[in-house]
């Protein structure tokens, strides 16, 4: 598959965190990438949905996705804030070159 869309499903007992799957390192990096060996593009469902906007700020949503192992953010609530957040995190070294 050229890409996989990760939804905002939440299952704390399965992922060990109340974060939705779309921003959750356990789901994206540990399960999808490591256990299942998926190495192509991971895109989120719309990040304007309450499942995402209620757990992170507009400037952190893209950073959270990249740090979880995802590649593409879809429709963040505030595109400008999400974009600036990623730029700031990259400049500070929070997002490694391999993210």
């Amino acid at each position: 598959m050229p890409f996989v869309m990760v939804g905002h499903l939440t299952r704390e007992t399965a992922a060990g965190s109340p974060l939705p799957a779309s921003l959750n390192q356990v789901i994206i990096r540990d399960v999808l990438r490591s256990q299942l060996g998926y190495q192509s593009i991971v895109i989120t469902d719309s990040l304007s949905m309450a499942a995402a906007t209620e757990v992170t700020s507009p400037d952190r949503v893209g950073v959270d996705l990249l740090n979880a192992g995802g590649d593409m953010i879809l429709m963040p609530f505030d595109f400008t804030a999400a974009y600036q957040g990623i730029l700031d995190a990259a400049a500070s070294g929070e997002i490694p070159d391999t993210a």
Side-chain angles (χ1 to χ4, degrees), residues 36-59:
L36 299 177
Y38 184 76
Q39 296 305 314
S40 293
I41 297 168
V42 174
I43 187 170
T44 66
D45 200 346
S46 170
L47 291 172
S48 294
M49 294 178 182
T53 61
E54 291 177 357
V55 298
T56 191
S57 62
D59 64 320

Side-chain angles (χ1 to χ4, degrees), residues 17-28:
S17 167
L19 285 175
S22 55
L23 301 173
N24 196 314
Q25 179 176 335
V26 171
I27 300 299
I28 298 174

Side-chain angles (χ1 to χ4, degrees), residues 10-84:
T10 303
R11 182 72 179 177
E12 188 168 347
T13 56
S17 167
L19 285 175
S22 55
L23 301 173
N24 196 314
Q25 179 176 335
V26 171
I27 300 299
I28 298 174
R29 191 177 306 275
D30 299 348
V31 175
L32 185 60
R33 297 230 188 254
S34 294
Q35 289 180 18
L36 299 177
Y38 184 76
Q39 296 305 314
S40 293
I41 297 168
V42 174
I43 187 170
T44 66
D45 200 346
S46 170
L47 291 172
S48 294
M49 294 178 182
T53 61
E54 291 177 357
V55 298
T56 191
S57 62
D59 64 320
R60 295 290 308 173
V61 70
V63 176
D64 292 347
L65 168 71
L66 294 173
N67 284 332
D71 302 299
M72 296 175 67
I73 62 173
L74 178 65
M75 299 170 53
F77 176 74
D78 183 339
F79 177 83
T80 303
Y83 179 70
Q84 190 61 53

